[in-house]
Amino acid sequence: MLKAVILIGGPQKGTRFRPLSFEVPKPLFPVAGVPMIQHHIEACAQVPGMQEILLIGFYQPDEPLTRFLEAAQQEFNLPVRYLQEFAPLGTGGGLYHFRDQILAGGPEAFFVLNADVCSDFPLNAMLAAHRQQPHPFLLLGTTANRTQSLSYGCIVENPQTHEVLHYVEKPSTFVSDIINCGVYLFSPEALKPLRDVFQRHQQDGQLCLPLGEDSSGLWRGAGTIRLEQDVFSALAGRGQIYVHLNDGIWSQIKSAGSALYASRLYLGQYQLTHPERLAKHTPGGPRIRGNVYIHPTAKVAPTAVLGPNVSIGEGVTVGEGVRLRESIVLHGATLQEHTCVLHSIVGWGSTVGRWARVEGTPNDPNPNDPRAHMDSESLFKDGKLLPAITILGCRVRIPAEVLILNSIVLPHKELSRSFTNQIIL
């Protein structure tokens, strides 16, 4: 028997995802046509013996999340439940707080997946490695170049046994080109070191609130556990943590630009996993170039040209002569005749007028470096907005014959002219 835990964070996380996270929790943002964490759930559901999938976070269980959970249970015929933290507890605190729920039924092991990663999720391969050589912690790792490795948790392994000898989260100098993917397989014994961290925090009070504040803060401070710093770094080299290297697709999803890149990776993966989700060029239909997802309810004119890397959501209208490339168009948006949308995300219910052009600048990994990953973008430098993908928030109206270039438009704005390199408030 197996279980899976998906760590979805909460509303004070994912601030780099704004304005898109204003309308929907970041884990439910559509990537390649389906909510971000549906890719995780699909991978977990394909593991033989999977009995339950738990989502842990501190989002309020609102209607979109509840509706998603109900749909996921029905589609995958598995219990999918949400466990709400009383406060942000870090990457390990929720696991310890809900340990009884995780261990109920006596699972052999349980997967732990961060919601904000894009991967082919080689869970069956990880399970096979764990069963061949059981240990409390198995981490999924991949390689990065020397510069980018400093932005991730770095793993020094024994190349023969794959034991993790040293672990440093976001080091200041180069440690290793093997990085932590945020996907794990834990045995039940893995919760014992989390208990030790919790008890140590209770005793030393280092993370407690100042005296005189609400006493509930004492438990909250003690309950905050960071897997990477509190557990992995402390236990490395003690024969408890091992790494499984993966050469498949992987990327973090920290920002809108990285969501667009993740959409490209997943659309490419659909060739193997879900070919039925990819649009085909048919007589009388739009012209399809590369990998394109079109929701069945979308209306796309036959003279439109779509792709590569395009995802069109539910109820979208795409007019005659529209050109779409490297973009995500969300639920209910309208692209009027002869618009051009490149390297952009068009928000829910937004309208782009005739002959308008919405264009961003991609920040893709270096194609000449096979170990390069998506950079963690900063929106500003020296007080100026850096070129990046263009984002239209929900229910934005772009008039005819204007240019929106490298800009972010906040929700409910009705523009009257062109903008370049600006945040439109």
Side-chain angles (χ1 to χ4, degrees), residues 60-363:
Q60 291 296 322
D62 56 8
E63 182 182 351
L65 184 56
T66 302
R67 197 165 55 240
F68 171 78
L69 293 173
E70 291 173 351
Q73 289 188 92
Q74 186 172 3
E75 179 175 353
F76 300 105
N77 196 27
L78 268 177
V80 181
R81 295 192 293 127
Y82 176 54
L83 304 177
Q84 184 186 2
E85 298 172 340
F86 61 90
L89 295 178
T91 50
L95 297 176
Y96 183 71
H97 183 62
F98 292 110
R99 60 195 179 279
D100 292 340
Q101 303 263 19
I102 295 171
L103 298 182
E108 166 194 355
F110 59 96
F111 291 96
V112 178
L113 302 87
N114 285 319
D116 60 353
V117 297
C118 157
S119 176
D120 53 358
F121 298 112
L123 304 185
N124 283 311
M126 292 179 69
L127 181 60
H130 171 77
R131 285 174 171 167
Q132 184 176 2
Q133 195 176 21
H135 295 285
F137 301 90
L138 181 63
L139 283 56
L140 183 67
T142 190
T143 54
N145 61 41
R146 292 178 65 94
T147 301
Q148 290 184 323
S149 69
L150 305 182
S151 300
Y152 303 94
C154 291
I155 298 168
V156 178
E157 69 155 352
N158 180 321
Q160 281 75 43
T161 65
H162 303 296
E163 181 191 352
V164 175
L165 303 176
H166 189 50
Y167 183 94
V168 185
E169 184 68 17
K170 297 180 180 177
S172 56
T173 59
F174 177 75
V175 171
S176 170
D177 63 353
I178 301 175
I179 62 172
N180 177 5
C181 291
V183 178
Y184 316 118
L185 179 58
F186 293 170
S187 68
E189 291 75 26
L191 293 173
K192 294 178 182 177
L194 273 67
R195 177 197 61 197
D196 296 339
V197 172
F198 172 75
Q199 292 175 345
R200 186 168 67 249
H201 286 171
Q202 276 191 318
Q203 291 169 359
D204 60 27
Q206 289 179 357
L207 299 180
C208 295
L209 291 178
L211 291 175
E213 296 201 15
D214 183 357
S215 61
S216 65
L218 177 66
W219 205 97
R220 179 168 65 182
T224 302
I225 300 173
R226 304 165 300 173
L227 276 178
E228 300 81 6
Q229 293 94 331
D230 295 332
V231 179
F232 298 159
S233 294
L235 295 183
R238 299 187 182 181
Q240 296 192 56
I241 309 178
Y242 285 72
V243 61
H244 178 82
L245 290 177
N246 180 41
D247 58 1
I249 66 169
W250 182 84
S251 182
Q252 283 189 323
I253 309 178
K254 296 293 188 182
S255 63
S258 56
L260 195 52
Y261 178 66
S263 183
R264 180 197 303 172
L265 295 180
Y266 278 135
L267 287 171
Q269 191 75 3
Y270 285 172
Q271 296 276 6
L272 300 174
T273 60
H274 291 285
E276 74 282 357
R277 290 182 182 170
L278 295 175
K280 307 289 192 299
H281 181 66
T282 57
R287 188 170 179 181
I288 304 297
R289 295 181 175 176
N291 297 321
V292 174
Y293 169 85
I294 303 175
H295 193 276
T297 62
K299 298 178 181 178
V300 182
T303 56
V305 181
L306 313 177
N309 184 22
V310 165
S311 175
I312 297 176
E314 180 181 352
V316 168
T317 300
V318 179
E320 298 287 348
V322 167
R323 180 67 177 105
L324 258 174
R325 176 188 175 96
E326 300 283 344
S327 296
I328 296 173
V329 185
L330 297 170
H331 177 103
T334 298
L335 307 182
Q336 295 180 354
E337 292 82 355
H338 304 289
T339 61
C340 182
V341 178
L342 311 173
H343 303 286
S344 300
I345 297 178
V346 179
W348 299 267
S350 292
T351 299
V352 181
R354 296 177 178 84
W355 295 99
R357 185 180 183 95
V358 177
E359 183 173 358
T361 299
N363 184 29

Side-chain angles (χ1 to χ4, degrees), residues 377-414:
E377 311 111 302
S378 175
L379 285 177
F380 298 94
K381 184 176 182 181
D382 299 327
K384 297 181 180 179
L385 183 65
L386 294 173
I389 73 164
T390 288
I391 304 170
L392 306 184
C394 78
R395 289 180 282 282
V396 167
R397 294 187 65 85
I398 305 297
E401 301 181 22
V402 302
L403 169 65
I404 307 298
L405 177 64
N406 299 335
S407 296
I408 299 174
V409 185
L410 267 62
H412 308 287
K413 298 299 175 184
E414 186 165 349

